[in-house]
Amino acid sequence: MQPLHHIISTREYSREMLDEILDMAEKLEPIARGEKTTKIMDGKLLALLFFEPSTRTRMSFETAMLRLGGQIINMGSVEASSIAKGESLADTIRVVSRYADAVVLRHPREGAALMASEFSSSPIINGGDGAGHHPTQTLLDLYTIRRESRLDHLNIALAGDLKYGRTVHSLCYALSRYGAQINLVSPRELELPKRIVDDLKARDIKVHIAHSMEDVIEEVDVLYMTRIQKERFPDPAEFNRVSNSMRITEELIEGCKPNLKIMHPLPRVNEISPAVDKTEHAAYFKQAFYGVPVRMAILCKVLGVDL
Amino acid sequence: MQPLHHIISTREYSREMLDEILDMAEKLEPIARGEKTTKIMDGKLLALLFFEPSTRTRMSFETAMLRLGGQIINMGSVEASSIAKGESLADTIRVVSRYADAVVLRHPREGAALMASEFSSSPIINGGDGAGHHPTQTLLDLYTIRRESRLDHLNIALAGDLKYGRTVHSLCYALSRYGAQINLVSPRELELPKRIVDDLKARDIKVHIAHSMEDVIEEVDVLYMTRIQKERFPDPAEFNRVSNSMRITEELIEGCKPNLKIMHPLPRVNEISPAVDKTEHAAYFKQAFYGVPVRMAILCKVLGVDL
Amino acid sequence: MQPLHHIISTREYSREMLDEILDMAEKLEPIARGEKTTKIMDGKLLALLFFEPSTRTRMSFETAMLRLGGQIINMGSVEASSIAKGESLADTIRVVSRYADAVVLRHPREGAALMASEFSSSPIINGGDGAGHHPTQTLLDLYTIRRESRLDHLNIALAGDLKYGRTVHSLCYALSRYGAQINLVSPRELELPKRIVDDLKARDIKVHIAHSMEDVIEEVDVLYMTRIQKERFPDPAEFNRVSNSMRITEELIEGCKPNLKIMHPLPRVNEISPAVDKTEHAAYFKQAFYGVPVRMAILCKVLGVDL
């Protein structure tokens, strides 16, 4: 196995590379579930540098590393660190990357992970860089689709904020490696940027643009929901109208395929009615869990640990 | 040994169940002291979700889990997590309980731990839910009494804020399993709620209500002190009068039994004079330490680990 | 090996004691780099009590303890702990020192570590106490000089804020054990206190007081730079003039010795031009890393663990 030096974006990953990571994640699932234990990361140290709040990404990386037998050091919040004294990100990276064997970086600034990789003595894993990339989210989304539905001949709807949501942008490119049909459901104000639609079409992906959930709900295998943020709308009334029309309720999914799986990167606010949680369609909590085996696979790749 | 699925409250625990946990804690004390090492929790992961500040409860759970050979993931402060984005407690629990083998939850809202247990994929341990319960505190209080004094035929004074203090409420019920004589010493404004007094009497517990420490200090084996909060009193002068009258000083304990043990759940502010710290009567720092073996026992019960 | 009970200050350490710690650090370097693994701290627990923000000191202690096979408990920020409820430092220490095998304390108040050692059940390691001491910084500074330059017949310049910088004060005393020539370069307002200059001279150290970097740059083996804080100057224009004159640039080091090593305790703001980072003279990031093997050595001394 060839180690990946840094994990900045999955944009250029081939289908073979994606499959290799998903295969590793599947092998690691029993360890992620605590059904098997291992020490393959014994003596390895992972540093967490989160310049923004996070629960799922941070805690699932911690879970992944600890269940593999490794250890964690955590910068903690920006307020608890020397960053408050005016240290540059480059200097922080230079120091912390000398302590640990790999560094997970979350930062509000687009491009921060790529920049960090230039100053780092150990591999950087991008844990989300603002409007930029969040490669481990994309990989866990793919993994969830493979585990709960299917990656080949997939018919998927991406719904919600398709304009600003980095999660759906990256997922589109990854799905394009598998030839999916992609339905884009959003308010007109929040459509997927035209350059991404063009990129998908150039890759022979069938793209269907819709503005109502009802238009697509009966056909799709997977419905990937994302949050619409109030701040995107100058008029609160307009936000309310739009967010209500994009909500997933029991009524909406009445005519859906029996195997429909609903996904969401979480946290949700009210995009999905709690009544949906108890149905077989709800895959969003499993999706959050799948972050653990997928991040385990990423850690193994980055640290050059064979399974 | 039968694992306990969740630890929400000790209210309904039988004497046998209490004794079993205290016996386990006693066996685990050498490990808690670092005199012996073990790996019985190897491969196990404990999640800490503290929605309120805590030093003792959180750090003693960490100590307990790590000294047993397990590992920890910690949500950190609410500000550092996705909670700030408006995620519900139910969703946070659903996600985090899939990462870890057990979850310690501290939350300001009464009933939060019980509610959480309905959404959790792994056992919930209540680390204090506002005015509700704090079962591991009750167990460590019982353990301290057993180790430093005696549980049978105990004569105990509970002093301070008996109205709002959840610690003393839970301790009363637990002590009632052992037939203690309970002296209640508080300002009139902060007496133990009548329904609890009635419950105790219905369990054949001798209850003595007093308003002055001097009335009881010569008779008791254990004096359990709690903090009186300034916010309870509309008039600061009244607070000062009351809190001075409830203070434990060297003079107060002059005529006490030679084996009197003084307890306090900490943090203390000025309920106990520092001059008392050096006497053989001070048991409050040992009490804080006993949180470690008791929480070890709880973790073993909850995770189904045999000693 | 005789364990050191507490590590409060290196002020009184003999050359033999300093050498012993530096020798241990050198042996531990492969473990610090992750090239070798060990479990010599298996079953040991280190508590971190940081009452002030810190990145390097805290994370390098964590790295040191974890790479030695030990474990960590961390109080977290003051806001996340019971300190907010008004607990005294003495009580916090009494409790936490019963959980762990050793305690690292950082506190803004001078003398806090010494005071804490009086109430602690386990060894206290001073992680910086305000204007007081920061012994592990002094030891890693010495270690860096030994590894990157030389301790015997050293010609060193200490530059920047020599009046308030506790780092340079402690380093002066430590260097005096090795007979260095010390050049002091600062603005007139921030000269080294006269009592320290007198102490150094009494120890037969050659002291040269200068006010310009150009005066010393060609002669020295090591240039130790520290940050000048804006708050020290009533007049911002005066601060700007001074801090510009004390800056290390590529031009400044043009005529320097080929083996000149530049050190800085970090974080730097703009005392050192980024252009200097790429030169062979820059030792400040290595210096930050050397905190790991040096703190490993300290932990071994304090916990009585033989190599």
Side-chain angles (χ1 to χ4, degrees):
Chain A
M1 189 188 60
Q2 195 194 342
L4 288 167
H5 197 51
H6 301 287
I7 308 267
I8 306 302
S9 158
T10 55
R11 184 71 56 96
E12 304 308 326
Y13 283 19
S14 66
R15 176 162 175 167
E16 289 65 38
M17 204 187 266
L18 295 171
D19 282 342
E20 188 194 339
I21 295 170
L22 304 188
D23 289 345
M24 288 176 74
E26 197 154 341
K27 270 193 221 163
L28 290 161
E29 239 197 77
I31 296 162
R33 294 191 186 281
E35 294 159 7
K36 283 172 64 179
T37 62
T38 181
K39 298 283 171 203
I40 53 174
M41 287 289 176
D42 189 36
K44 300 285 186 190
L45 195 57
L46 179 67
L48 304 177
L49 298 188
F50 278 68
F51 288 79
E52 275 189 330
S54 164
T55 311
R56 262 162 302 283
T57 303
R58 184 174 56 73
M59 291 183 88
S60 63
F61 262 116
E62 290 181 9
T63 301
M65 190 63 181
L66 293 170
R67 287 217 190 266
L68 290 174
Q71 290 283 16
I72 300 282
I73 57 171
N74 187 349
M75 181 183 72
S77 67
V78 172
E79 293 71 30
S81 74
S82 287
I83 315 303
K85 297 179 196 162
E87 183 167 74
S88 71
L89 176 61
D91 277 11
T92 303
I93 291 290
R94 277 190 270 229
V95 169
V96 174
S97 68
R98 279 171 164 86
Y99 296 160
D101 299 300
V103 176
V104 181
L105 174 70
R106 164 165 290 191
H107 200 279
R109 203 165 64 231
E110 189 171 347
L114 184 62
M115 188 275 260
S117 70
E118 291 164 27
F119 297 104
S120 181
S121 302
S122 46
I124 294 287
I125 302 171
N126 186 358
D129 59 340
H133 299 279
H134 193 356
T136 61
Q137 179 72 45
T138 305
L139 290 164
L140 80 87
D141 289 344
L142 274 191
Y143 185 75
T144 305
I145 294 169
R146 187 168 106 166
R147 284 284 277 111
E148 299 294 319
S149 181
R150 60 177 183 193
L151 273 174
D152 286 302
H153 308 294
L154 174 71
N155 192 338
I156 188 171
L158 304 172
D161 176 357
L162 306 184
K163 185 171 180 184
Y164 298 102
R166 69 177 166 197
T167 297
V168 289
H169 299 181
S170 298
L171 184 56
C172 281
Y173 286 99
L175 286 171
S176 75
R177 303 298 188 191
Y178 295 88
Q181 162 153 356
I182 301 181
N183 303 276
L184 302 167
V185 192
S186 70
R188 286 182 196 282
E189 298 91 332
L190 297 174
E191 285 182 359
L192 194 72
K194 190 172 171 304
R195 63 178 166 79
I196 302 179
V197 175
D198 292 344
D199 281 354
L200 293 174
K201 287 179 176 167
R203 291 176 180 204
D204 279 330
I205 297 300
K206 277 178 260 169
V207 178
H208 169 218
I209 296 174
H211 300 98
S212 147
M213 306 284 274
E214 286 79 3
D215 282 1
V216 302
I217 192 69
E218 294 184 9
E219 306 160 29
V220 296
D221 304 306
V222 171
L223 169 52
Y224 194 110
M225 191 72 203
T226 62
R227 189 154 59 104
I228 295 177
Q229 293 182 292
K230 208 168 188 164
E231 306 86 80
R232 305 294 184 206
F233 291 82
D235 178 359
E238 180 65 9
F239 166 74
N240 287 335
R241 190 193 60 73
V242 159
S243 67
N244 281 329
S245 79
M246 298 295 297
R247 213 162 164 251
I248 302 180
T249 59
E250 273 185 305
E251 294 71 47
L252 177 75
I253 59 174
E254 256 171 22
C256 74
K257 285 192 182 177
N259 294 329
L260 170 74
K261 296 297 173 183
I262 301 169
M263 295 172 62
H264 191 297
L266 305 181
R268 67 167 164 180
V269 180
N270 56 5
E271 302 85 45
I272 305 174
S273 156
V276 176
D277 296 356
K278 294 180 198 84
T279 70
E280 286 295 305
H281 306 298
Y284 27 95
F285 298 122
K286 284 186 183 178
Q287 181 186 1
F289 165 72
Y290 290 139
V292 180
V294 166
R295 286 173 177 125
M296 283 178 166
I298 292 292
L299 291 169
C300 288
K301 286 292 284 182
V302 154
L303 291 165
V305 171
D306 280 303
L307 295 191
Chain B
M1 187 187 62
Q2 195 196 340
L4 288 167
H5 197 52
H6 301 288
I7 308 267
I8 306 302
S9 159
T10 55
R11 184 70 57 96
E12 304 308 326
Y13 283 18
S14 66
R15 175 161 176 168
E16 288 66 36
M17 203 187 269
L18 295 171
D19 281 343
E20 188 194 337
I21 295 169
L22 303 188
D23 288 346
M24 288 175 75
E26 196 152 342
K27 271 194 221 162
L28 290 160
E29 239 196 76
I31 296 162
R33 294 190 186 283
E35 294 160 6
K36 283 172 65 177
T37 62
T38 181
K39 298 283 170 200
I40 53 174
M41 287 289 176
D42 189 35
K44 300 285 187 191
L45 195 56
L46 179 68
L48 304 177
L49 298 188
F50 278 69
F51 288 78
E52 276 190 331
S54 164
T55 311
R56 263 162 302 282
T57 303
R58 184 174 57 73
M59 291 183 87
S60 63
F61 263 117
E62 290 181 9
T63 302
M65 189 63 181
L66 293 171
R67 288 216 190 266
L68 290 173
Q71 289 284 15
I72 299 282
I73 57 172
N74 187 349
M75 181 182 72
S77 67
V78 172
E79 293 71 30
S81 75
S82 287
I83 314 305
K85 297 179 194 161
E87 182 166 73
S88 70
L89 176 60
D91 277 12
T92 304
I93 292 289
R94 277 191 269 227
V95 169
V96 175
S97 68
R98 280 171 164 86
Y99 297 157
D101 298 301
V103 176
V104 181
L105 175 70
R106 163 163 292 190
H107 200 279
R109 203 165 63 231
E110 189 171 349
L114 183 62
M115 189 275 261
S117 69
E118 291 166 25
F119 298 102
S120 182
S121 302
S122 48
I124 295 286
I125 302 169
N126 186 359
D129 59 341
H133 298 279
H134 193 357
T136 61
Q137 179 72 45
T138 305
L139 290 164
L140 82 86
D141 288 344
L142 274 191
Y143 186 75
T144 306
I145 294 168
R146 187 168 106 166
R147 284 283 277 111
E148 299 294 319
S149 181
R150 62 177 183 193
L151 274 174
D152 286 301
H153 308 292
L154 173 71
N155 192 337
I156 189 172
L158 304 173
D161 176 356
L162 306 185
K163 185 170 181 185
Y164 299 101
R166 68 178 168 196
T167 298
V168 289
H169 299 180
S170 298
L171 185 56
C172 281
Y173 286 100
L175 286 171
S176 76
R177 303 297 188 192
Y178 296 87
Q181 162 154 356
I182 301 181
N183 303 277
L184 302 167
V185 191
S186 71
R188 287 182 196 281
E189 299 90 330
L190 296 174
E191 284 183 359
L192 195 71
K194 191 173 172 303
R195 62 177 168 79
I196 302 179
V197 174
D198 291 345
D199 280 355
L200 293 174
K201 285 179 175 166
R203 292 176 177 203
D204 279 332
I205 296 299
K206 277 179 260 171
V207 178
H208 170 219
I209 295 173
H211 299 98
S212 145
M213 305 285 273
E214 285 79 4
D215 281 2
V216 303
I217 192 68
E218 294 184 8
E219 306 161 27
V220 296
D221 304 305
V222 171
L223 169 52
Y224 194 109
M225 191 71 202
T226 64
R227 189 155 57 105
I228 295 176
Q229 293 183 292
K230 206 165 188 167
E231 306 85 79
R232 306 295 184 205
F233 291 83
D235 178 359
E238 180 64 9
F239 166 75
N240 286 336
R241 190 193 59 74
V242 160
S243 66
N244 280 329
S245 79
M246 298 296 296
R247 212 162 164 250
I248 303 180
T249 58
E250 273 186 306
E251 295 70 47
L252 176 75
I253 58 174
E254 254 171 23
C256 74
K257 284 191 182 178
N259 294 330
L260 170 73
K261 296 296 173 184
I262 300 169
M263 295 171 62
H264 190 297
L266 304 181
R268 67 168 163 177
V269 179
N270 57 4
E271 303 84 47
I272 304 175
S273 157
V276 175
D277 296 355
K278 292 179 199 85
T279 70
E280 286 294 306
H281 305 298
Y284 27 95
F285 298 121
K286 284 186 183 178
Q287 180 186 0
F289 165 73
Y290 289 140
V292 181
V294 165
R295 287 174 176 125
M296 283 178 166
I298 291 292
L299 291 170
C300 288
K301 286 291 282 180
V302 153
L303 291 166
V305 172
D306 280 304
L307 295 192
Chain C
M1 188 186 62
Q2 194 195 342
L4 288 166
H5 197 52
H6 301 287
I7 308 268
I8 306 302
S9 158
T10 55
R11 184 70 57 96
E12 304 307 326
Y13 283 18
S14 66
R15 175 163 176 165
E16 288 65 36
M17 203 187 268
L18 295 171
D19 282 342
E20 187 193 338
I21 295 169
L22 304 188
D23 288 346
M24 288 176 74
E26 196 153 341
K27 272 194 221 163
L28 290 160
E29 239 197 76
I31 296 163
R33 293 189 185 283
E35 294 159 6
K36 283 172 64 178
T37 62
T38 181
K39 300 282 171 203
I40 53 175
M41 286 290 175
D42 190 36
K44 299 285 186 190
L45 195 56
L46 179 68
L48 305 177
L49 298 187
F50 278 69
F51 287 79
E52 275 190 331
S54 163
T55 311
R56 263 161 302 282
T57 303
R58 184 174 57 73
M59 291 184 87
S60 63
F61 263 117
E62 290 181 10
T63 302
M65 190 62 181
L66 293 171
R67 286 217 190 265
L68 290 173
Q71 289 285 15
I72 299 282
I73 57 172
N74 187 349
M75 182 182 73
S77 67
V78 172
E79 292 72 30
S81 75
S82 286
I83 315 304
K85 298 179 196 162
E87 182 167 73
S88 71
L89 177 60
D91 277 12
T92 302
I93 292 290
R94 278 191 269 226
V95 169
V96 174
S97 68
R98 280 170 164 86
Y99 296 158
D101 299 301
V103 176
V104 181
L105 175 71
R106 164 164 292 190
H107 200 280
R109 203 166 61 232
E110 188 171 349
L114 184 62
M115 189 274 261
S117 69
E118 290 165 27
F119 297 103
S120 182
S121 302
S122 46
I124 294 286
I125 302 169
N126 186 359
D129 60 340
H133 299 279
H134 193 357
T136 62
Q137 178 73 44
T138 305
L139 290 163
L140 81 86
D141 289 344
L142 274 191
Y143 186 74
T144 305
I145 294 168
R146 188 168 105 166
R147 284 284 276 112
E148 300 293 319
S149 181
R150 61 177 183 194
L151 274 173
D152 284 302
H153 308 293
L154 173 71
N155 191 337
I156 189 171
L158 304 172
D161 176 357
L162 306 184
K163 185 170 180 184
Y164 299 102
R166 69 179 167 195
T167 298
V168 289
H169 299 181
S170 298
L171 184 56
C172 281
Y173 285 100
L175 285 171
S176 75
R177 303 298 188 192
Y178 295 87
Q181 161 153 357
I182 300 182
N183 303 278
L184 302 167
V185 191
S186 71
R188 287 182 196 281
E189 299 90 331
L190 297 174
E191 285 183 359
L192 195 72
K194 190 171 172 304
R195 62 178 167 79
I196 302 179
V197 175
D198 291 345
D199 280 355
L200 293 174
K201 285 180 176 165
R203 291 175 178 205
D204 278 331
I205 297 298
K206 276 178 260 167
V207 178
H208 168 219
I209 295 173
H211 299 97
S212 145
M213 306 284 273
E214 286 79 3
D215 282 2
V216 303
I217 193 67
E218 295 184 8
E219 305 162 29
V220 295
D221 304 305
V222 171
L223 169 52
Y224 195 109
M225 191 70 202
T226 63
R227 189 154 57 103
I228 295 177
Q229 293 182 293
K230 207 167 189 165
E231 306 86 80
R232 305 295 184 206
F233 291 82
D235 177 359
E238 179 65 9
F239 166 74
N240 286 336
R241 191 193 59 74
V242 159
S243 66
N244 281 328
S245 79
M246 298 296 297
R247 213 162 164 249
I248 302 180
T249 59
E250 273 187 302
E251 296 70 48
L252 177 75
I253 59 176
E254 255 170 24
C256 74
K257 285 192 182 178
N259 294 329
L260 170 73
K261 297 295 174 184
I262 301 169
M263 296 171 61
H264 190 297
L266 305 181
R268 66 167 164 179
V269 180
N270 56 5
E271 302 86 45
I272 304 174
S273 158
V276 176
D277 296 355
K278 295 180 197 85
T279 70
E280 287 295 306
H281 305 298
Y284 28 96
F285 298 121
K286 285 186 183 177
Q287 181 185 1
F289 165 73
Y290 290 139
V292 180
V294 166
R295 286 172 177 126
M296 284 178 165
I298 291 293
L299 291 170
C300 288
K301 285 292 282 182
V302 154
L303 292 165
V305 171
D306 279 305
L307 295 191

